[in-house]
Amino acid sequence: MVARHDQTTDPVLLDGLLQARRGTAFFARKLNELTDGDLDGDSLLPGWTRRHVVAHVGYNARAVARLVEWAATGVETPMYPSVEVRNHEIDFGATLSPIALRNLFDHSAVHLNVEWRDLPADSWHHKVKTVQGRTVPAEETVWMRTREVWVHAIDLDNGATFKDIPETVLARLLKDITSAWNARGTDNGLLIMVDGTGMVFGDTAAASPTVVSGSLAAIAQWATGRGTDGTRAQHDGGSITPVPRAPAWI
């Protein structure tokens, strides 16, 4: 039997698909290391057990697949009917038996991968709409899924850290987050500097900003609201302790 390959030949898109698939495999590995009993434990997200994280990632794959189907057929198939339906779905998924929860993740990931693989090359530019109401080309679904699987693998609280995430993914994640801050004006007076890279984000016009710095992994962890380990803060040349809380991401 001859293996089937992605229909797109766009090298940028293929690289993005590779990172999404690697992230899915990484999440799967961290999930498979957990016992069924471990699933009842707390995740790194307040109010969510590991069950909630797995349910969210599983149902997210189905939701993203609906957008890919939309791009393929031209028939509008939203990610979710509403945010309320999405939240109810996650809460329900968290009550599934361990085997059903694991199957939800596995099967939904395979389904999404097949939808990506079989999407005609010219359909990747077709417009779809995210749950936040943004109109984006179907190729954006790859990044949407990439950040979900890599970041939520860490939220399983099973030893994964931001250092495990590829630097290209971290850099794009940080750009997304800081762009959202800028659009809302929540980064006023805040400058973010990534050690050894020349990467600078935030309020670059501020006369006397609070400067938060650290490695790419540490800054991404801080920016997503998942801890301040490895970060430093200064104002007018003096150190600030503790490091200020990052503005809300989503």
Side-chain angles (χ1 to χ4, degrees), residues 15-27 29 143 145-154 160-175 194 197 199 215-221 224:
D15 183 65
L17 286 163
L18 179 62
Q19 296 295 0
R21 288 160 176 157
R22 284 176 172 170
T24 299
F26 184 68
F27 186 98
R29 176 159 65 86
W143 171 243
R145 183 60 176 173
T146 299
R147 68 187 187 190
E148 288 286 328
V149 287
W150 281 110
V151 173
H152 286 314
I154 295 166
T161 73
F162 278 80
K163 294 178 182 178
D164 294 312
I165 301 179
E167 289 191 353
T168 53
V169 175
L170 289 174
R172 183 168 179 182
L173 179 64
L174 191 54
K175 183 178 180 181
V194 180
T197 67
M199 297 169 64
S215 68
L216 181 57
I219 290 294
Q221 176 179 302
T224 59

mmCIF file of all heavy atoms in Angstrom, residues 15-27 29 143 145-154 160-175 194 197 199 215-221 224:
data_model
loop_
_atom_site.group_PDB
_atom_site.id
_atom_site.type_symbol
_atom_site.label_atom_id
_atom_site.label_comp_id
_atom_site.label_asym_id
_atom_site.label_seq_id
_atom_site.Cartn_x
_atom_site.Cartn_y
_atom_site.Cartn_z
ATOM 1 N N ASP A 15 6.361 22.818 6.740
ATOM 2 C CA ASP A 15 7.119 22.940 7.974
ATOM 3 C C ASP A 15 6.180 23.170 9.155
ATOM 4 O O ASP A 15 6.379 22.620 10.240
ATOM 5 C CB ASP A 15 8.121 24.090 7.872
ATOM 6 C CG ASP A 15 8.985 24.210 9.118
ATOM 7 O OD1 ASP A 15 9.763 23.272 9.394
ATOM 8 O OD2 ASP A 15 8.871 25.226 9.841
ATOM 9 N N GLY A 16 5.149 23.986 8.934
ATOM 10 C CA GLY A 16 4.162 24.205 9.984
ATOM 11 C C GLY A 16 3.435 22.932 10.358
ATOM 12 O O GLY A 16 3.217 22.642 11.548
ATOM 13 N N LEU A 17 3.055 22.147 9.367
ATOM 14 C CA LEU A 17 2.400 20.863 9.622
ATOM 15 C C LEU A 17 3.317 19.930 10.407
ATOM 16 O O LEU A 17 2.871 19.203 11.299
ATOM 17 C CB LEU A 17 1.974 20.214 8.306
ATOM 18 C CG LEU A 17 0.754 20.836 7.623
ATOM 19 C CD1 LEU A 17 0.672 20.404 6.161
ATOM 20 C CD2 LEU A 17 -0.523 20.468 8.372
ATOM 21 N N LEU A 18 4.606 19.964 10.101
ATOM 22 C CA LEU A 18 5.569 19.128 10.819
ATOM 23 C C LEU A 18 5.604 19.508 12.299
ATOM 24 O O LEU A 18 5.602 18.625 13.172
ATOM 25 C CB LEU A 18 6.954 19.280 10.192
ATOM 26 C CG LEU A 18 8.085 18.484 10.861
ATOM 27 C CD1 LEU A 18 7.819 16.987 10.786
ATOM 28 C CD2 LEU A 18 9.419 18.828 10.190
ATOM 29 N N GLN A 19 5.618 20.814 12.585
ATOM 30 C CA GLN A 19 5.651 21.251 13.982
ATOM 31 C C GLN A 19 4.358 20.892 14.706
ATOM 32 O O GLN A 19 4.379 20.540 15.900
ATOM 33 C CB GLN A 19 5.896 22.759 14.062
ATOM 34 C CG GLN A 19 7.243 23.216 13.536
ATOM 35 C CD GLN A 19 8.420 22.687 14.354
ATOM 36 O OE1 GLN A 19 8.248 21.968 15.333
ATOM 37 N NE2 GLN A 19 9.624 23.037 13.938
ATOM 38 N N ALA A 20 3.231 20.974 14.009
ATOM 39 C CA ALA A 20 1.955 20.588 14.615
ATOM 40 C C ALA A 20 1.941 19.095 14.930
ATOM 41 O O ALA A 20 1.479 18.661 15.999
ATOM 42 C CB ALA A 20 0.801 20.946 13.683
ATOM 43 N N ARG A 21 2.440 18.295 14.006
ATOM 44 C CA ARG A 21 2.456 16.845 14.215
ATOM 45 C C ARG A 21 3.450 16.450 15.295
ATOM 46 O O ARG A 21 3.187 15.534 16.094
ATOM 47 C CB ARG A 21 2.770 16.147 12.888
ATOM 48 C CG ARG A 21 1.599 16.223 11.914
ATOM 49 C CD ARG A 21 1.991 15.997 10.477
ATOM 50 N NE ARG A 21 0.814 15.999 9.604
ATOM 51 C CZ ARG A 21 0.842 16.253 8.300
ATOM 52 N NH1 ARG A 21 2.008 16.520 7.711
ATOM 53 N NH2 ARG A 21 -0.266 16.242 7.588
ATOM 54 N N ARG A 22 4.569 17.132 15.357
ATOM 55 C CA ARG A 22 5.522 16.859 16.429
ATOM 56 C C ARG A 22 4.931 17.238 17.785
ATOM 57 O O ARG A 22 5.129 16.538 18.780
ATOM 58 C CB ARG A 22 6.815 17.630 16.182
ATOM 59 C CG ARG A 22 7.694 17.026 15.084
ATOM 60 C CD ARG A 22 8.917 17.884 14.823
ATOM 61 N NE ARG A 22 9.853 17.227 13.902
ATOM 62 C CZ ARG A 22 10.898 17.817 13.351
ATOM 63 N NH1 ARG A 22 11.166 19.092 13.630
ATOM 64 N NH2 ARG A 22 11.688 17.155 12.527
ATOM 65 N N GLY A 23 4.214 18.347 17.812
ATOM 66 C CA GLY A 23 3.565 18.752 19.056
ATOM 67 C C GLY A 23 2.509 17.760 19.490
ATOM 68 O O GLY A 23 2.366 17.466 20.688
ATOM 69 N N THR A 24 1.769 17.235 18.528
ATOM 70 C CA THR A 24 0.756 16.215 18.838
ATOM 71 C C THR A 24 1.417 14.964 19.399
ATOM 72 O O THR A 24 0.933 14.375 20.379
ATOM 73 C CB THR A 24 -0.042 15.871 17.573
ATOM 74 O OG1 THR A 24 -0.701 17.049 17.094
ATOM 75 C CG2 THR A 24 -1.076 14.792 17.851
ATOM 76 N N ALA A 25 2.525 14.559 18.805
ATOM 77 C CA ALA A 25 3.248 13.383 19.291
ATOM 78 C C ALA A 25 3.807 13.632 20.695
ATOM 79 O O ALA A 25 3.827 12.728 21.538
ATOM 80 C CB ALA A 25 4.377 13.028 18.326
ATOM 81 N N PHE A 26 4.276 14.861 20.946
ATOM 82 C CA PHE A 26 4.815 15.199 22.254
ATOM 83 C C PHE A 26 3.710 15.157 23.303
ATOM 84 O O PHE A 26 3.895 14.597 24.397
ATOM 85 C CB PHE A 26 5.454 16.585 22.218
ATOM 86 C CG PHE A 26 6.117 16.990 23.512
ATOM 87 C CD1 PHE A 26 7.262 16.342 23.949
ATOM 88 C CD2 PHE A 26 5.602 18.023 24.277
ATOM 89 C CE1 PHE A 26 7.872 16.706 25.152
ATOM 90 C CE2 PHE A 26 6.203 18.394 25.457
ATOM 91 C CZ PHE A 26 7.344 17.738 25.901
ATOM 92 N N PHE A 27 2.551 15.738 22.985
ATOM 93 C CA PHE A 27 1.417 15.682 23.915
ATOM 94 C C PHE A 27 1.036 14.235 24.175
ATOM 95 O O PHE A 27 0.790 13.844 25.326
ATOM 96 C CB PHE A 27 0.220 16.452 23.354
ATOM 97 C CG PHE A 27 -0.934 16.564 24.319
ATOM 98 C CD1 PHE A 27 -1.101 17.710 25.077
ATOM 99 C CD2 PHE A 27 -1.843 15.522 24.475
ATOM 100 C CE1 PHE A 27 -2.154 17.818 25.980
ATOM 101 C CE2 PHE A 27 -2.897 15.607 25.372
ATOM 102 C CZ PHE A 27 -3.052 16.771 26.124
ATOM 103 N N ARG A 29 2.870 11.596 24.055
ATOM 104 C CA ARG A 29 3.865 10.945 24.923
ATOM 105 C C ARG A 29 3.669 11.327 26.376
ATOM 106 O O ARG A 29 3.695 10.454 27.269
ATOM 107 C CB ARG A 29 5.279 11.314 24.459
ATOM 108 C CG ARG A 29 6.373 10.747 25.359
ATOM 109 C CD ARG A 29 7.697 10.676 24.627
ATOM 110 N NE ARG A 29 8.226 11.973 24.255
ATOM 111 C CZ ARG A 29 8.981 12.731 25.059
ATOM 112 N NH1 ARG A 29 9.261 12.323 26.282
ATOM 113 N NH2 ARG A 29 9.449 13.883 24.644
ATOM 114 N N TRP A 143 -1.290 26.597 12.715
ATOM 115 C CA TRP A 143 -0.716 27.286 13.867
ATOM 116 C C TRP A 143 -1.651 27.215 15.075
ATOM 117 O O TRP A 143 -1.205 27.030 16.212
ATOM 118 C CB TRP A 143 -0.404 28.739 13.527
ATOM 119 C CG TRP A 143 -0.010 29.542 14.733
ATOM 120 C CD1 TRP A 143 -0.654 30.622 15.262
ATOM 121 C CD2 TRP A 143 1.123 29.307 15.582
ATOM 122 N NE1 TRP A 143 -0.006 31.073 16.380
ATOM 123 C CE2 TRP A 143 1.087 30.286 16.596
ATOM 124 C CE3 TRP A 143 2.143 28.358 15.582
ATOM 125 C CZ2 TRP A 143 2.047 30.355 17.614
ATOM 126 C CZ3 TRP A 143 3.104 28.414 16.598
ATOM 127 C CH2 TRP A 143 3.048 29.402 17.588
ATOM 128 N N ARG A 145 -3.531 24.871 15.974
ATOM 129 C CA ARG A 145 -3.362 23.564 16.611
ATOM 130 C C ARG A 145 -1.968 23.406 17.212
ATOM 131 O O ARG A 145 -1.815 22.808 18.288
ATOM 132 C CB ARG A 145 -3.610 22.454 15.584
ATOM 133 C CG ARG A 145 -3.528 21.040 16.132
ATOM 134 C CD ARG A 145 -4.534 20.802 17.227
ATOM 135 N NE ARG A 145 -4.505 19.406 17.677
ATOM 136 C CZ ARG A 145 -5.188 18.948 18.727
ATOM 137 N NH1 ARG A 145 -5.966 19.759 19.428
ATOM 138 N NH2 ARG A 145 -5.103 17.678 19.078
ATOM 139 N N THR A 146 -0.963 23.951 16.550
ATOM 140 C CA THR A 146 0.415 23.829 17.031
ATOM 141 C C THR A 146 0.554 24.382 18.437
ATOM 142 O O THR A 146 1.114 23.743 19.333
ATOM 143 C CB THR A 146 1.381 24.571 16.082
ATOM 144 O OG1 THR A 146 1.303 23.974 14.783
ATOM 145 C CG2 THR A 146 2.809 24.484 16.585
ATOM 146 N N ARG A 147 0.053 25.586 18.659
ATOM 147 C CA ARG A 147 0.214 26.189 19.985
ATOM 148 C C ARG A 147 -0.617 25.445 21.030
ATOM 149 O O ARG A 147 -0.220 25.368 22.201
ATOM 150 C CB ARG A 147 -0.143 27.675 19.943
ATOM 151 C CG ARG A 147 -1.588 27.994 19.702
ATOM 152 C CD ARG A 147 -1.796 29.485 19.519
ATOM 153 N NE ARG A 147 -3.214 29.817 19.443
ATOM 154 C CZ ARG A 147 -3.679 31.013 19.093
ATOM 155 N NH1 ARG A 147 -2.839 31.977 18.778
ATOM 156 N NH2 ARG A 147 -4.975 31.241 19.046
ATOM 157 N N GLU A 148 -1.749 24.878 20.631
ATOM 158 C CA GLU A 148 -2.566 24.125 21.578
ATOM 159 C C GLU A 148 -1.816 22.907 22.118
ATOM 160 O O GLU A 148 -1.740 22.687 23.332
ATOM 161 C CB GLU A 148 -3.867 23.659 20.906
ATOM 162 C CG GLU A 148 -4.869 24.749 20.631
ATOM 163 C CD GLU A 148 -5.567 25.245 21.879
ATOM 164 O OE1 GLU A 148 -5.771 24.453 22.819
ATOM 165 O OE2 GLU A 148 -5.912 26.438 21.912
ATOM 166 N N VAL A 149 -1.269 22.105 21.218
ATOM 167 C CA VAL A 149 -0.674 20.839 21.672
ATOM 168 C C VAL A 149 0.628 21.063 22.436
ATOM 169 O O VAL A 149 0.884 20.399 23.439
ATOM 170 C CB VAL A 149 -0.466 19.854 20.495
ATOM 171 C CG1 VAL A 149 -1.807 19.288 20.043
ATOM 172 C CG2 VAL A 149 0.263 20.502 19.325
ATOM 173 N N TRP A 150 1.459 22.002 21.985
ATOM 174 C CA TRP A 150 2.725 22.216 22.690
ATOM 175 C C TRP A 150 2.506 22.815 24.074
ATOM 176 O O TRP A 150 3.078 22.328 25.065
ATOM 177 C CB TRP A 150 3.638 23.121 21.858
ATOM 178 C CG TRP A 150 4.340 22.439 20.728
ATOM 179 C CD1 TRP A 150 4.107 22.597 19.392
ATOM 180 C CD2 TRP A 150 5.417 21.490 20.820
ATOM 181 N NE1 TRP A 150 4.953 21.808 18.645
ATOM 182 C CE2 TRP A 150 5.776 21.117 19.498
ATOM 183 C CE3 TRP A 150 6.106 20.917 21.887
ATOM 184 C CZ2 TRP A 150 6.797 20.211 19.219
ATOM 185 C CZ3 TRP A 150 7.131 20.009 21.612
ATOM 186 C CH2 TRP A 150 7.459 19.664 20.301
ATOM 187 N N VAL A 151 1.685 23.856 24.159
ATOM 188 C CA VAL A 151 1.488 24.518 25.454
ATOM 189 C C VAL A 151 0.713 23.629 26.421
ATOM 190 O O VAL A 151 1.061 23.526 27.604
ATOM 191 C CB VAL A 151 0.793 25.883 25.270
ATOM 192 C CG1 VAL A 151 0.447 26.492 26.633
ATOM 193 C CG2 VAL A 151 1.690 26.834 24.490
ATOM 194 N N HIS A 152 -0.314 22.955 25.937
ATOM 195 C CA HIS A 152 -1.106 22.126 26.848
ATOM 196 C C HIS A 152 -0.379 20.846 27.260
ATOM 197 O O HIS A 152 -0.729 20.241 28.280
ATOM 198 C CB HIS A 152 -2.466 21.814 26.232
ATOM 199 C CG HIS A 152 -3.399 22.993 26.244
ATOM 200 N ND1 HIS A 152 -3.582 23.787 27.358
ATOM 201 C CD2 HIS A 152 -4.198 23.520 25.275
ATOM 202 C CE1 HIS A 152 -4.452 24.738 27.094
ATOM 203 N NE2 HIS A 152 -4.835 24.605 25.825
ATOM 204 N N ALA A 153 0.621 20.432 26.504
ATOM 205 C CA ALA A 153 1.453 19.317 26.973
ATOM 206 C C ALA A 153 2.143 19.701 28.282
ATOM 207 O O ALA A 153 2.319 18.873 29.184
ATOM 208 C CB ALA A 153 2.485 18.941 25.914
ATOM 209 N N ILE A 154 2.522 20.957 28.399
ATOM 210 C CA ILE A 154 3.118 21.459 29.643
ATOM 211 C C ILE A 154 2.069 21.517 30.744
ATOM 212 O O ILE A 154 2.342 21.178 31.901
ATOM 213 C CB ILE A 154 3.744 22.850 29.393
ATOM 214 C CG1 ILE A 154 4.909 22.714 28.408
ATOM 215 C CG2 ILE A 154 4.209 23.496 30.696
ATOM 216 C CD1 ILE A 154 5.379 24.018 27.837
ATOM 217 N N ALA A 160 7.001 18.204 31.404
ATOM 218 C CA ALA A 160 7.305 19.001 30.219
ATOM 219 C C ALA A 160 7.491 20.466 30.613
ATOM 220 O O ALA A 160 6.819 20.967 31.520
ATOM 221 C CB ALA A 160 6.187 18.884 29.196
ATOM 222 N N THR A 161 8.398 21.154 29.936
ATOM 223 C CA THR A 161 8.624 22.575 30.178
ATOM 224 C C THR A 161 8.687 23.314 28.848
ATOM 225 O O THR A 161 8.743 22.691 27.770
ATOM 226 C CB THR A 161 9.947 22.811 30.937
ATOM 227 O OG1 THR A 161 11.057 22.583 30.039
ATOM 228 C CG2 THR A 161 10.071 21.900 32.145
ATOM 229 N N PHE A 162 8.727 24.625 28.927
ATOM 230 C CA PHE A 162 8.810 25.426 27.713
ATOM 231 C C PHE A 162 10.125 25.198 26.978
ATOM 232 O O PHE A 162 10.221 25.471 25.774
ATOM 233 C CB PHE A 162 8.597 26.904 28.025
ATOM 234 C CG PHE A 162 7.145 27.278 28.150
ATOM 235 C CD1 PHE A 162 6.435 27.025 29.314
ATOM 236 C CD2 PHE A 162 6.470 27.861 27.088
ATOM 237 C CE1 PHE A 162 5.094 27.355 29.422
ATOM 238 C CE2 PHE A 162 5.126 28.185 27.175
ATOM 239 C CZ PHE A 162 4.430 27.934 28.356
ATOM 240 N N LYS A 163 11.124 24.663 27.658
ATOM 241 C CA LYS A 163 12.382 24.338 27.001
ATOM 242 C C LYS A 163 12.215 23.193 26.004
ATOM 243 O O LYS A 163 13.064 23.005 25.125
ATOM 244 C CB LYS A 163 13.441 23.976 28.039
ATOM 245 C CG LYS A 163 13.854 25.135 28.938
ATOM 246 C CD LYS A 163 14.874 24.686 29.979
ATOM 247 C CE LYS A 163 15.255 25.831 30.901
ATOM 248 N NZ LYS A 163 16.223 25.408 31.957
ATOM 249 N N ASP A 164 11.140 22.417 26.145
ATOM 250 C CA ASP A 164 10.879 21.311 25.219
ATOM 251 C C ASP A 164 10.264 21.781 23.906
ATOM 252 O O ASP A 164 10.208 21.015 22.938
ATOM 253 C CB ASP A 164 9.933 20.291 25.873
ATOM 254 C CG ASP A 164 10.550 19.594 27.068
ATOM 255 O OD1 ASP A 164 11.698 19.126 26.931
ATOM 256 O OD2 ASP A 164 9.912 19.528 28.131
ATOM 257 N N ILE A 165 9.774 23.012 23.884
ATOM 258 C CA ILE A 165 9.100 23.527 22.691
ATOM 259 C C ILE A 165 10.136 24.086 21.718
ATOM 260 O O ILE A 165 11.039 24.816 22.131
ATOM 261 C CB ILE A 165 8.088 24.625 23.075
ATOM 262 C CG1 ILE A 165 7.043 24.066 24.053
ATOM 263 C CG2 ILE A 165 7.402 25.183 21.830
ATOM 264 C CD1 ILE A 165 6.019 25.097 24.507
ATOM 265 N N PRO A 166 10.032 23.769 20.430
ATOM 266 C CA PRO A 166 10.993 24.304 19.449
ATOM 267 C C PRO A 166 11.031 25.824 19.479
ATOM 268 O O PRO A 166 9.997 26.483 19.669
ATOM 269 C CB PRO A 166 10.446 23.787 18.113
ATOM 270 C CG PRO A 166 9.644 22.573 18.468
ATOM 271 C CD PRO A 166 9.045 22.862 19.802
ATOM 272 N N GLU A 167 12.224 26.384 19.269
ATOM 273 C CA GLU A 167 12.383 27.832 19.355
ATOM 274 C C GLU A 167 11.533 28.565 18.323
ATOM 275 O O GLU A 167 11.043 29.673 18.594
ATOM 276 C CB GLU A 167 13.856 28.210 19.203
ATOM 277 C CG GLU A 167 14.706 27.815 20.404
ATOM 278 C CD GLU A 167 16.094 28.420 20.358
ATOM 279 O OE1 GLU A 167 16.441 29.046 19.331
ATOM 280 O OE2 GLU A 167 16.826 28.274 21.358
ATOM 281 N N THR A 168 11.356 27.985 17.147
ATOM 282 C CA THR A 168 10.532 28.647 16.133
ATOM 283 C C THR A 168 9.084 28.770 16.605
ATOM 284 O O THR A 168 8.416 29.768 16.325
ATOM 285 C CB THR A 168 10.564 27.873 14.802
ATOM 286 O OG1 THR A 168 10.206 26.494 15.029
ATOM 287 C CG2 THR A 168 11.938 27.950 14.168
ATOM 288 N N VAL A 169 8.606 27.755 17.328
ATOM 289 C CA VAL A 169 7.249 27.797 17.873
ATOM 290 C C VAL A 169 7.176 28.828 18.996
ATOM 291 O O VAL A 169 6.227 29.619 19.070
ATOM 292 C CB VAL A 169 6.819 26.406 18.377
ATOM 293 C CG1 VAL A 169 5.456 26.468 19.058
ATOM 294 C CG2 VAL A 169 6.780 25.415 17.219
ATOM 295 N N LEU A 170 8.169 28.847 19.874
ATOM 296 C CA LEU A 170 8.195 29.813 20.970
ATOM 297 C C LEU A 170 8.203 31.249 20.438
ATOM 298 O O LEU A 170 7.500 32.114 20.968
ATOM 299 C CB LEU A 170 9.424 29.588 21.849
ATOM 300 C CG LEU A 170 9.438 28.333 22.717
ATOM 301 C CD1 LEU A 170 10.789 28.200 23.416
ATOM 302 C CD2 LEU A 170 8.308 28.372 23.748
ATOM 303 N N ALA A 171 9.006 31.487 19.410
ATOM 304 C CA ALA A 171 9.116 32.839 18.866
ATOM 305 C C ALA A 171 7.782 33.301 18.285
ATOM 306 O O ALA A 171 7.361 34.451 18.500
ATOM 307 C CB ALA A 171 10.208 32.893 17.800
ATOM 308 N N ARG A 172 7.108 32.427 17.554
ATOM 309 C CA ARG A 172 5.816 32.816 16.989
ATOM 310 C C ARG A 172 4.770 32.989 18.078
ATOM 311 O O ARG A 172 3.932 33.898 18.018
ATOM 312 C CB ARG A 172 5.351 31.789 15.958
ATOM 313 C CG ARG A 172 4.044 32.212 15.288
ATOM 314 C CD ARG A 172 3.708 31.391 14.083
ATOM 315 N NE ARG A 172 2.447 31.831 13.505
ATOM 316 C CZ ARG A 172 1.869 31.264 12.449
ATOM 317 N NH1 ARG A 172 2.471 30.264 11.826
ATOM 318 N NH2 ARG A 172 0.713 31.717 11.990
ATOM 319 N N LEU A 173 4.822 32.124 19.084
ATOM 320 C CA LEU A 173 3.895 32.230 20.209
ATOM 321 C C LEU A 173 4.055 33.577 20.902
ATOM 322 O O LEU A 173 3.075 34.268 21.196
ATOM 323 C CB LEU A 173 4.145 31.089 21.189
ATOM 324 C CG LEU A 173 3.289 31.047 22.451
ATOM 325 C CD1 LEU A 173 1.824 30.835 22.103
ATOM 326 C CD2 LEU A 173 3.775 29.930 23.378
ATOM 327 N N LEU A 174 5.302 33.960 21.146
ATOM 328 C CA LEU A 174 5.568 35.225 21.821
ATOM 329 C C LEU A 174 5.115 36.405 20.969
ATOM 330 O O LEU A 174 4.566 37.390 21.492
ATOM 331 C CB LEU A 174 7.061 35.322 22.144
ATOM 332 C CG LEU A 174 7.493 36.445 23.084
ATOM 333 C CD1 LEU A 174 6.706 36.421 24.385
ATOM 334 C CD2 LEU A 174 8.993 36.341 23.365
ATOM 335 N N LYS A 175 5.318 36.317 19.674
ATOM 336 C CA LYS A 175 4.862 37.380 18.778
ATOM 337 C C LYS A 175 3.346 37.505 18.817
ATOM 338 O O LYS A 175 2.798 38.620 18.852
ATOM 339 C CB LYS A 175 5.339 37.100 17.351
ATOM 340 C CG LYS A 175 4.961 38.190 16.361
ATOM 341 C CD LYS A 175 5.490 37.881 14.972
ATOM 342 C CE LYS A 175 5.094 38.978 13.978
ATOM 343 N NZ LYS A 175 5.586 38.677 12.603
ATOM 344 N N VAL A 194 14.347 39.372 24.941
ATOM 345 C CA VAL A 194 14.749 37.972 24.982
ATOM 346 C C VAL A 194 16.272 37.894 24.925
ATOM 347 O O VAL A 194 16.893 38.366 23.973
ATOM 348 C CB VAL A 194 14.129 37.175 23.821
ATOM 349 C CG1 VAL A 194 14.555 35.716 23.894
ATOM 350 C CG2 VAL A 194 12.605 37.300 23.847
ATOM 351 N N THR A 197 19.106 37.306 21.695
ATOM 352 C CA THR A 197 18.433 37.183 20.402
ATOM 353 C C THR A 197 18.194 38.508 19.697
ATOM 354 O O THR A 197 17.958 38.528 18.497
ATOM 355 C CB THR A 197 17.061 36.500 20.548
ATOM 356 O OG1 THR A 197 16.190 37.365 21.292
ATOM 357 C CG2 THR A 197 17.191 35.163 21.256
ATOM 358 N N MET A 199 15.545 40.047 20.178
ATOM 359 C CA MET A 199 14.085 40.133 20.091
ATOM 360 C C MET A 199 13.565 41.058 21.181
ATOM 361 O O MET A 199 13.858 40.881 22.363
ATOM 362 C CB MET A 199 13.462 38.744 20.233
ATOM 363 C CG MET A 199 13.845 37.786 19.121
ATOM 364 S SD MET A 199 13.366 36.049 19.448
ATOM 365 C CE MET A 199 11.596 36.198 19.489
ATOM 366 N N SER A 215 15.440 34.109 28.979
ATOM 367 C CA SER A 215 15.584 33.267 27.788
ATOM 368 C C SER A 215 14.252 33.209 27.051
ATOM 369 O O SER A 215 13.191 33.561 27.591
ATOM 370 C CB SER A 215 16.008 31.855 28.192
ATOM 371 O OG SER A 215 14.954 31.211 28.897
ATOM 372 N N LEU A 216 14.293 32.746 25.810
ATOM 373 C CA LEU A 216 13.070 32.633 25.016
ATOM 374 C C LEU A 216 12.053 31.740 25.713
ATOM 375 O O LEU A 216 10.861 32.077 25.793
ATOM 376 C CB LEU A 216 13.411 32.094 23.625
ATOM 377 C CG LEU A 216 12.250 31.939 22.638
ATOM 378 C CD1 LEU A 216 11.515 33.259 22.438
ATOM 379 C CD2 LEU A 216 12.767 31.415 21.297
ATOM 380 N N ALA A 217 12.498 30.608 26.237
ATOM 381 C CA ALA A 217 11.579 29.694 26.923
ATOM 382 C C ALA A 217 11.002 30.338 28.177
ATOM 383 O O ALA A 217 9.804 30.216 28.463
ATOM 384 C CB ALA A 217 12.303 28.393 27.273
ATOM 385 N N ALA A 218 11.846 31.028 28.948
ATOM 386 C CA ALA A 218 11.389 31.655 30.189
ATOM 387 C C ALA A 218 10.394 32.774 29.908
ATOM 388 O O ALA A 218 9.369 32.912 30.607
ATOM 389 C CB ALA A 218 12.577 32.186 30.975
ATOM 390 N N ILE A 219 10.676 33.582 28.882
ATOM 391 C CA ILE A 219 9.771 34.679 28.546
ATOM 392 C C ILE A 219 8.435 34.151 28.023
ATOM 393 O O ILE A 219 7.368 34.679 28.346
ATOM 394 C CB ILE A 219 10.425 35.622 27.514
ATOM 395 C CG1 ILE A 219 11.580 36.394 28.156
ATOM 396 C CG2 ILE A 219 9.405 36.585 26.951
ATOM 397 C CD1 ILE A 219 11.176 37.371 29.236
ATOM 398 N N ALA A 220 8.482 33.092 27.233
ATOM 399 C CA ALA A 220 7.233 32.504 26.735
ATOM 400 C C ALA A 220 6.415 31.948 27.892
ATOM 401 O O ALA A 220 5.183 32.097 27.925
ATOM 402 C CB ALA A 220 7.529 31.404 25.715
ATOM 403 N N GLN A 221 7.070 31.315 28.838
ATOM 404 C CA GLN A 221 6.367 30.791 30.014
ATOM 405 C C GLN A 221 5.710 31.930 30.785
ATOM 406 O O GLN A 221 4.539 31.827 31.176
ATOM 407 C CB GLN A 221 7.353 30.057 30.920
ATOM 408 C CG GLN A 221 6.746 29.558 32.234
ATOM 409 C CD GLN A 221 7.760 28.828 33.086
ATOM 410 O OE1 GLN A 221 8.339 27.841 32.644
ATOM 411 N NE2 GLN A 221 7.983 29.312 34.293
ATOM 412 N N THR A 224 2.669 33.540 28.849
ATOM 413 C CA THR A 224 1.448 32.727 28.835
ATOM 414 C C THR A 224 0.826 32.611 30.216
ATOM 415 O O THR A 224 -0.182 31.918 30.387
ATOM 416 C CB THR A 224 1.731 31.306 28.309
ATOM 417 O OG1 THR A 224 2.709 30.673 29.148
ATOM 418 C CG2 THR A 224 2.220 31.333 26.871
#
